[in-house]
């Protein structure tokens, strides 16, 4: 595990974007594992800028998303497909045939089968990640177990409340989602992880400090990943005492 302490969220996002772009430079048909939410927005901004300036060729890039709400179509502004199209897929001109994201309107079992068939045969070359306030990665909520493959989950009240900012009322926030399992996330060859904000401190302490790997804070499993880089801004990092095995650098 590597921790890079940055000056600001923007610098974390810029450096995360550079790592994602380097993967594409090394392998033009790279499979990028993508996340949604507020944290990756600037990462996608810098990636889209690089595409516009033709600093990197997205012509063969493939993507797979971690999760999608059950019951929302890709036309719904609250859906993760809508989010991805707005922030990355359309600006980088990545067509639907190279995009894997669960269809929130499809039969759930069939969709799980489709996603798992693809993911089992295609580990991501890189996975972009952030963390929920309760330590979730993807929508792998606190649990007694680590799930391996794509599965359906019931969202916790805490997650629904935290995501309600993107909907006009709490009632509109979906109650279920399809998510890649923690096992699938761990099969990515490289992890680029960023977090910001005081509300993520608890989860980041559990992930970076000396402590147990527990499904109660799903992100702690990243302690076992062979190539995981975490970007935290100084304001968050200063409250964390990383375990001795974490390689710490300043950007
Ligand atoms: C979404 C996802 C989630 C988010 C997490 C943090 O695809 O995987 O685990 O990364 O909920 O969300 P934000 O960035 O909005 O705080």
């Amino acid at each position: 595990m590597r921790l890079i302490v940055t000056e600001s969220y923007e610098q974390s996002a810029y450096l995360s974007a550079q790592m994602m772009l380097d993967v594409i430079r090394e392998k033009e048909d790279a499979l990028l594992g993508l996340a949604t939410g507020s944290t990756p927005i600037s990462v996608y901004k810098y990636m889209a800028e690089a595409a516009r300036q033709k600093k990197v060729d997205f012509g063969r890039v493939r993507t797979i998303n971690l999760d999608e709400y059950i019951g929302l179509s890709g036309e719904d502004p609250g859906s993760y497909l809508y989010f991805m199209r707005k922030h990355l897929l359309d600006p980088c001109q990545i067509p639907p045939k190279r995009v894997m994201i669960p269809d929130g309107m499809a039969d759930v079992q069939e969709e799980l089968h489709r996603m798992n068939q693809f993911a089992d045969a295609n580990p991501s070359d890189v996975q972009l990640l952030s963390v929920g306030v309760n330590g979730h990665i993807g929508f792998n909520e606190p649990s007694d177990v680590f799930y391996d493959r794509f599965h359906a989950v019931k969202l916790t009240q805490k997650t629904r409340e935290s995501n309600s900012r993107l909907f006009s009322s709490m009632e509109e926030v979906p109650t279920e989602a399809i998510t890649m399992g923690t096992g699938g996330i761990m099969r990515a060859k490289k992890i680029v992880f960023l977090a910001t904000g005081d509300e993520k401190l608890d989860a980041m302490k559990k992930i970076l400090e000396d402590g147990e790997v527990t499904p109660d804070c799903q992100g702690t499993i990243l302690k076992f990943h062979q190539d995981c880089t975490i970007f935290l801004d100084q304001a968050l990092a200063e409250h964390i005492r990383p375990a001795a095995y974490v390689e710490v650098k300043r950007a």
Side-chain angles (χ1 to χ4, degrees), residues 97-138:
K97 64 174 186 217
R98 287 194 268 116
V99 173
M100 283 298 282
I101 183 165
D103 178 347
M105 297 303 281
D107 175 86
V108 174
Q109 289 312 316
E110 280 173 22
E111 204 47 19
L112 293 177
H113 180 70
R114 184 180 76 91
M115 293 304 296
N116 278 323
Q117 255 197 333
F118 179 86
D120 290 350
N122 299 277
S124 302
D125 290 296
V126 62
Q127 176 65 57
L128 181 64
L129 274 189
S130 190
V131 70
V133 286
N134 60 10
H136 74 211
I137 49 174

Side-chain angles (χ1 to χ4, degrees), residues 35-40 66-67 80 130-132 136-139 165 200:
T36 52
S38 308
T39 316
L66 287 174
D67 40 22
Y80 285 167
S130 190
V131 70
H136 74 211
I137 49 174
F139 270 140
R165 65 190 189 280
K200 303 290 173 72

